[in-house]
Amino acid sequence: MVINCQLEGVKVYLPCKDHPSDEPNEGADLIITVPKGLTVAGPGLLQSVKTKKKKQTFHWKTNYTISNYCILFNIGKYDIVKRTYQTIDSNNVPMAFYVLEEDKAIAEKMLDMRERDTHILDKYIGEYPWATEKIGLAQVPNPGMEYQTMITYGDKSGKFIFSKVGSEDYLANLFHEFAHEWFANKVTNKYWAYRWIQEGITTYSEALFCREAAGESGYDSMMVKIKNGIKNAKPLVQGDEVNSSDSYTGDIYTKGAFFMHTLRYILGDTVFFKTLRELATDPQFTYSNFVTTDDVEQLFSKQSTLNLKPLFDFYLRTTDKLEIKIRQTAFQKYTMSVPNLPMNLPIDILTDTGMQHILLKEKDYVINSQTMPVIDAKGFYLKTVTTD
Ligand SMILES: [Zn+2]
């Protein structure tokens, strides 16, 4: 028996105020009785299992703040495969995979992958957030979801078919749901309108996995894939009052992730990665505190000493793209115009003499080149380029 409530909301099975900011910050208890022989997988730590005739009662308890949609359980004929994970801060965390009996052979490999993925996420966005409870995984007959300390995962085929990133076996959906332990469960957006923060940064973390497994070219390939998924039909951030279904678009994943890619380019790796980690570890943005788009903007602005508000507004609150126009003005001479430049932006220009890296401050910029210049060749910006 599984529960999944994405979009319908947790109100379908639990009386609650169905809003992302409504998290019980002292945790939750779940007391579930099932026929003997079945196992209940839940959040936090298992307190007790009491047997009464042909029934068993499982008591699960989490002491952490928890999104209301993570207060749920799954029931199955599970085997439980365990080991211990040591975090980046040297805490030992129990790992448990609730695997269906018939798939037990895959369990150790899944835990190997989970350890590897936790190391990567620890490195980029801080220690596993629920270190005093567990790293849990429950097998379910749907693609899975980010349920706090008991991520669910399943695949349609009923088999575990891995893809390859570099030489690493990979399950994209599993990694995605697991990365939500940081962005979604630990760093939670205050309103539906800011959902891009949890979905976009989590999708971006998939590119960081590719960077670890296959280097910068692996990261770049992933960013192209993400970019090709952007529809750009409406802005990502439409105002605080927008409801769950209106805020939910594919772009909160793709365009949200691509925006982080753009930020990385503008800020450079040192500032960008340090600030990303700060967003996921500073108490003012985590656990029982919530974040808004302005919080993210102000943090990145502060750490970069740039005013990034115009850029955040441009890419998150409109569907605009940089409009880049190239016009040949003389022999081997071109003018690049960007009439809607939101702020001073670094940009790569490829000419016959190689790649130039400039800071574009004016709407017009003169380029000398024997060949037609290529602007932003590696694709750090959402843009349209027209040439006369
Ligand atoms: Zn997600």
Side-chain angles (χ1 to χ4, degrees), residues 6 145-146 176-177 180 183-184 198-199 202-203 248 253:
Q6 189 162 24
M145 192 66 181
E146 69 248 29
H176 179 96
E177 301 309 335
H180 274 312
F183 281 95
Q198 61 190 53
E199 292 303 347
T202 293
T203 303
Y248 193 81
Y253 297 79

Side-chain angles (χ1 to χ4, degrees), residues 308-361:
L308 295 167
K309 188 166 190 330
L311 185 86
F312 272 70
D313 287 348
F314 184 82
Y315 277 129
L316 301 180
R317 297 180 196 272
T318 78
T319 55
D320 292 350
K321 299 176 180 184
L322 288 185
E323 285 168 28
I324 300 174
K325 295 186 175 116
I326 309 287
R327 190 161 42 93
Q328 185 162 24
T329 49
F331 182 58
Q332 297 181 350
K333 204 177 189 83
Y334 298 84
T335 297
M336 171 175 72
S337 309
V338 189
N340 64 348
L341 186 71
M343 59 179 279
N344 294 348
L345 290 175
I347 200 154
D348 293 340
I349 301 171
L350 184 64
T351 67
D352 65 300
T353 56
M355 190 76 89
Q356 300 171 33
H357 184 71
I358 65 151
L359 183 66
L360 190 63
K361 294 179 180 172

Side-chain angles (χ1 to χ4, degrees), residues 15-157:
C16 67
K17 196 165 76 186
D18 190 10
H19 192 270
S21 69
D22 194 35
E23 289 192 351
N25 59 7
E26 293 177 5
D29 288 79
L30 282 87
I31 297 164
I32 311 294
T33 301
V34 294
K36 229 169 141 180
L38 296 175
T39 299
V40 181
L45 293 173
L46 186 60
Q47 306 295 307
S48 63
V49 183
K50 287 183 183 149
T51 305
K52 201 172 171 187
K53 294 183 182 166
K54 290 182 176 170
K55 291 182 176 174
Q56 283 190 310
T57 299
F58 289 72
H59 177 189
W60 284 97
K61 182 182 184 66
T62 178
N63 288 307
Y64 285 112
T65 180
I66 184 167
S67 298
N68 54 25
Y69 69 87
C70 288
I71 304 171
L72 56 59
F73 54 92
N74 295 292
I75 300 169
K77 278 199 151 188
Y78 287 126
D79 265 324
I80 307 159
V81 181
K82 295 180 179 176
R83 66 170 77 164
T84 301
Y85 173 79
Q86 191 176 61
T87 69
I88 198 168
D89 297 338
S90 301
N91 288 306
N92 290 320
V93 187
M95 302 178 81
F97 180 22
Y98 286 68
V99 59
L100 294 175
E101 288 171 347
E102 60 267 32
D103 290 323
K104 199 178 173 184
I106 201 75
E108 291 297 334
K109 183 182 171 73
M110 292 290 282
L111 287 175
D112 288 345
M113 289 170 62
R114 175 51 47 96
E115 280 204 52
R116 174 201 66 193
D117 296 350
T118 315
H119 277 299
I120 291 172
L121 292 162
D122 273 6
K123 175 181 151 184
Y124 281 103
I125 45 182
E127 187 189 34
Y128 177 71
W130 322 104
T132 64
E133 293 186 348
K134 71 176 183 306
I135 297 173
L137 174 64
Q139 189 182 353
V140 293
N142 62 53
M145 192 66 181
E146 69 248 29
Y147 301 121
Q148 189 169 304
T149 69
M150 190 61 92
I151 300 300
T152 57
Y153 176 75
D155 70 10
K156 281 178 244 153
S157 64

Side-chain angles (χ1 to χ4, degrees), residues 168-211:
E168 296 291 324
D169 285 329
Y170 184 59
L171 291 168
N173 206 49
L174 178 66
F175 185 87
H176 179 96
E177 301 309 335
F178 186 51
H180 274 312
E181 291 282 35
W182 285 257
F183 281 95
N185 298 347
K186 185 186 184 194
V187 181
T188 307
N189 42 254
K190 189 171 185 178
Y191 299 107
W192 299 117
Y194 308 138
R195 223 173 193 174
W196 74 272
I197 298 169
Q198 61 190 53
E199 292 303 347
I201 301 180
T202 293
T203 303
Y204 184 70
S205 73
E206 295 176 49
L208 297 179
F209 174 85
C210 296
R211 184 174 189 243

